[in-house]
């Protein structure tokens, strides 16, 4: 599982990754979205990539999510804005309102 985010959302992702690993015993990587695409992450059709964005319009987070989706990963977004670009582009969305 990969969490992809920028700025404050990235810091929230670090905490989320630690909690998921501790509670679900699933390995999680949290990545700064602007670096995610360039490190060529190993993702495939078995991977889950969660894009975290407050606005749902963060360009780097959207690009990272699209990169993962192109490689076959299932994408979920966590964002604050209903019908944002990231929410529409992901397979499922969790709204923080």
């Amino acid at each position: 599982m990969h969490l992809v985010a920028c700025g404050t959302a990235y810091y929230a992702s670090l905490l989320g990754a630690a909690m998921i690993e501790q509670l679900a015993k699933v390995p999680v990587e949290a990545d700064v979205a602007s670096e995610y695409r360039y490190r060529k992450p190993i993702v495939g059709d078995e991977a889950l990539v969660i894009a975290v964005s407050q606005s749902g319009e963060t360009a780097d987070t959207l690009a990272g999510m699209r990169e993962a989706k192109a490689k076959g990963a299932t994408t979920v977004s966590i964002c604050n804005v209903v019908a944002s670009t990231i929410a529409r582009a992901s397979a499922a969305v969790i709204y923080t309102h």
Side-chain angles (χ1 to χ4, degrees):
M1 179 184 308
H2 298 260
L3 299 175
V4 180
C6 289
T8 311
Y10 170 69
Y11 296 119
S13 295
L14 288 172
L15 179 60
M19 292 176 70
I20 292 167
E21 285 188 337
Q22 184 177 23
L23 297 172
K25 308 294 189 232
V26 174
V28 181
E29 292 182 29
D31 287 284
V32 175
S34 60
E35 301 298 320
Y36 182 75
R37 295 179 292 162
Y38 302 110
R39 75 172 185 88
K40 297 185 172 95
I42 300 170
V43 293
D45 58 356
E46 297 290 322
L48 173 63
V49 175
I50 301 173
V52 183
S53 173
Q54 293 173 31
S55 68
E57 302 295 335
T58 310
D60 287 327
T61 304
L62 182 59
M65 186 181 73
R66 286 181 174 157
E67 172 86 13
K69 196 173 186 178
K71 291 182 177 185
T74 299
T75 57
V76 173
S77 61
I78 299 174
C79 73
N80 196 33
V81 180
V82 175
S84 63
T85 303
I86 286 175
R88 290 191 319 266
S90 61
V93 62
I94 299 166
Y95 291 111
T96 57
H97 297 290

